[in-house]
Amino acid sequence: MNAVTQSQHTVKLTAIPQALEDPTWVRRGLIFITVGFIFLFLCLPLSVVIIEAFSKGVSAYWDALAQPEAQAAIGLTLLTALATVPLNTVFGITAAWCITRFEFLGKSLLTTLIDLPFSVSPVISGLIFVLLFGAQGWFGSWFAEHDIKIIFAVPGIILATLFITFPFVARELIPLMQEMGSEEEEAALSLGASGWKTFFLITLPNIKWGLLYGVLLCNARAMGEFGAVSVVSGHIRGLTNTLPLHVEVSYNEYDFVGAFASASILAGLAIVTLILKSVLEWKQQRERGY
Amino acid sequence: MSILLSDISKNFGAFAALDHINLEIPEGELVALLGPSGCGKTTLLRIIAGLEKSDSGRVLLNGEDKTHEHASHRGIGFVFQHYALFRHMTVFENVAFGLRVKNKKIRPNEAAIQKKVHTLLELVQLDWLHDRHPDQLSGGQRQRIALARALAVEPSVLLLDEPFGALDASVRKDLRLWLRNLHHDLNVTSIFVTHDQEEAMEVASQVVVLNHGRIEQQGAPSDIYDNPSNAFVSRFIGQTNIFDTAEIDQDWLKTSGLTLAKTQGQFAHVRPHDIELVKSADLAAEMGAYAILKDWQHLGSLIRIELAGKGAQPFNQPIYAEMPNERFKQLQLNRGDKVAVKIRNARWFH
């Protein structure tokens, strides 16, 4: 309530003409709805996660996380992120470079295709890999002959995550590089810089905050992805369970502390991501005021 | 270094940006590529720099074929219309960039870089700004830094793409003269692109007029002004009155002084300063080539007079005449006065 009166005060100070001001009941109503919504669907679930995780005490919380299955799930999640994020960073930069710097046939098609993982249900994304590499899949028999396991194993999880997260970096960089234009790069070339030097000395410093932002979002999704990974993983405890899958398995087995303890890690990741995201946005805005 | 362009063509889809361009630029010249927007002048400049590939033709620098040489190996300095300074670097680092990215074997040491950059910054009179970032500079300062940056690698050719296009009028005027003097001191072969004919005439030692991807005329500024080779150049360079002999009243024509015996085309192009006015009260008969004075504008030492020539121009297009201030005062002309029109000189085009 204090905040509301304060904001009213500043509104009066900046002297918005009476005609442009909404009636008090409209403003208060809208603020109430927004705050209520955020409380009901964001704060409440988040606190339930924390409360449930610590419902049997702090030691139970740590015990749950110290279980070998939980440890394995954390390890696999980190491994997945470690494998997919660098690959998709490189892919994102390459794609953004192609799209913003070259003219070629099918460019708009490529731009649309990059968005595909966003528009396809994650379950379908996972299913694609099962159909390709599963026992009955197109390439399944070849891989089986060579004793390579992809589906229901770590490679499948990494592949599915790779597919789900590849738009993040590219989508962040394309508008940024379009707005920047290529004149600075051309200037560097005409001054005798090679392509690599131009990229590392001119392009990269200009896109670094946007790039980090894309990497951050990519990482958050890589660690949190459930649907696609669930299809290809096979839920083998201690082997192919990532953290989100571990939450589900634990919950289904009535191990509430275990489920919510793992969930609290993911929630913590989300909060850290959110904070870093705001910092990066702020940095980016400050540097783009050129 | 001399530049030779041989049979350069460039198409963007169905649009022919450059149509078989042949151009030779001797060493040490300051050349203006002049033309209306979309005439292909910037494309031509970018092809010389290697920032754009031509569809056909060759680029020769000092007799060496550089057509397939990468932009970073051509030894050409390029100055962009919007400066293209590296926004994350200080002024000093911007100018030093070309020296720092040199191959280890030929890269000067730090002391040499320091010395060279400060010398260049003094040359453009901006050494006191060396630790600023580009966003803290004015447009004119940015363009001078961009020029210093291009000069740091001692280019054999300097290319400037509308270098003053983004600057306001007074800064532009100063920088034009400054560029001319700088060129005089450095004597590096330079080409600059402009759509402003006044700028081209004022700065360049040679002007190349482009239109629709073709070269219309090349020559010294005075040559192009006095002897335009076709109707486009005549219209584009300076102001011109165009009289269509098919539409014009024949009596008007005869008495105006246009010598029809020497007619070499349908259209007579007459410069405003080639039109002489005589106050009508001096004439006995109000016949032949007379006009009504509509309005006038002060252009400093000159007065531009707007006339409505009855029978001379279809659709009542105005005729423009120019005369020195003193002469205008002598004539004591007022709006609505009748004046006799005498044409001293005309150029004929088909």
Short mmCIF file of all heavy atoms in Angstrom, two decimals, chain A residues 52-62 257:
data_model
loop_
_atom_site.label_atom_id
_atom_site.label_comp_id
_atom_site.label_asym_id
_atom_site.label_seq_id
_atom_site.Cartn_x
_atom_site.Cartn_y
_atom_site.Cartn_z
N GLU A 52 8.58 -27.38 1.26
CA GLU A 52 8.52 -28.84 1.18
C GLU A 52 9.93 -29.44 1.23
O GLU A 52 10.13 -30.49 1.85
CB GLU A 52 7.82 -29.28 -0.12
CG GLU A 52 6.31 -29.15 -0.08
CD GLU A 52 5.66 -30.14 0.89
OE1 GLU A 52 6.23 -31.24 1.07
OE2 GLU A 52 4.62 -29.81 1.48
N ALA A 53 10.88 -28.77 0.57
CA ALA A 53 12.25 -29.29 0.54
C ALA A 53 12.82 -29.36 1.96
O ALA A 53 13.56 -30.28 2.30
CB ALA A 53 13.13 -28.42 -0.35
N PHE A 54 12.46 -28.36 2.79
CA PHE A 54 13.01 -28.32 4.15
C PHE A 54 12.01 -28.83 5.18
O PHE A 54 12.19 -28.64 6.37
CB PHE A 54 13.43 -26.89 4.50
CG PHE A 54 14.66 -26.45 3.76
CD1 PHE A 54 14.56 -25.65 2.63
CD2 PHE A 54 15.93 -26.86 4.18
CE1 PHE A 54 15.68 -25.26 1.94
CE2 PHE A 54 17.06 -26.46 3.49
CZ PHE A 54 16.95 -25.66 2.36
N SER A 55 10.96 -29.51 4.75
CA SER A 55 9.89 -29.89 5.69
C SER A 55 10.37 -30.88 6.74
O SER A 55 9.83 -30.93 7.84
CB SER A 55 8.70 -30.49 4.91
OG SER A 55 9.15 -31.65 4.22
N LYS A 56 11.36 -31.68 6.42
CA LYS A 56 11.86 -32.63 7.42
C LYS A 56 13.21 -32.19 7.95
O LYS A 56 14.02 -33.00 8.40
CB LYS A 56 11.96 -34.03 6.79
CG LYS A 56 10.60 -34.57 6.37
CD LYS A 56 10.50 -36.07 6.55
CE LYS A 56 9.07 -36.56 6.32
NZ LYS A 56 8.87 -37.09 4.96
N GLY A 57 13.50 -30.89 7.84
CA GLY A 57 14.74 -30.37 8.41
C GLY A 57 15.84 -30.23 7.38
O GLY A 57 15.76 -30.79 6.28
N VAL A 58 16.84 -29.46 7.81
CA VAL A 58 17.93 -29.15 6.89
C VAL A 58 18.75 -30.39 6.56
O VAL A 58 19.18 -30.61 5.44
CB VAL A 58 18.84 -28.05 7.50
CG1 VAL A 58 20.01 -27.76 6.59
CG2 VAL A 58 18.03 -26.81 7.79
N SER A 59 18.93 -31.26 7.60
CA SER A 59 19.79 -32.44 7.36
C SER A 59 19.13 -33.39 6.36
O SER A 59 19.81 -33.97 5.52
CB SER A 59 20.08 -33.15 8.68
OG SER A 59 18.87 -33.58 9.27
N ALA A 60 17.78 -33.51 6.44
CA ALA A 60 17.08 -34.35 5.48
C ALA A 60 17.26 -33.82 4.08
O ALA A 60 17.40 -34.57 3.11
CB ALA A 60 15.59 -34.42 5.83
N TYR A 61 17.27 -32.48 3.97
CA TYR A 61 17.48 -31.82 2.68
C TYR A 61 18.82 -32.20 2.09
O TYR A 61 18.94 -32.63 0.94
CB TYR A 61 17.37 -30.31 2.88
CG TYR A 61 17.65 -29.46 1.65
CD1 TYR A 61 16.65 -29.21 0.71
CD2 TYR A 61 18.91 -28.89 1.44
CE1 TYR A 61 16.90 -28.44 -0.39
CE2 TYR A 61 19.17 -28.11 0.34
CZ TYR A 61 18.16 -27.87 -0.57
OH TYR A 61 18.40 -27.09 -1.66
N TRP A 62 19.86 -32.07 2.92
CA TRP A 62 21.21 -32.40 2.43
C TRP A 62 21.34 -33.88 2.13
O TRP A 62 22.00 -34.25 1.16
CB TRP A 62 22.28 -31.96 3.45
CG TRP A 62 22.43 -30.46 3.48
CD1 TRP A 62 22.19 -29.64 4.54
CD2 TRP A 62 22.84 -29.63 2.40
NE1 TRP A 62 22.41 -28.34 4.19
CE2 TRP A 62 22.82 -28.29 2.87
CE3 TRP A 62 23.21 -29.87 1.07
CZ2 TRP A 62 23.15 -27.21 2.07
CZ3 TRP A 62 23.55 -28.79 0.27
CH2 TRP A 62 23.51 -27.47 0.77
N VAL A 257 10.70 -35.05 -0.09
CA VAL A 257 11.87 -34.23 0.24
C VAL A 257 12.88 -34.28 -0.90
O VAL A 257 13.42 -33.26 -1.33
CB VAL A 257 12.50 -34.68 1.58
CG1 VAL A 257 13.80 -33.92 1.83
CG2 VAL A 257 11.53 -34.45 2.73
#
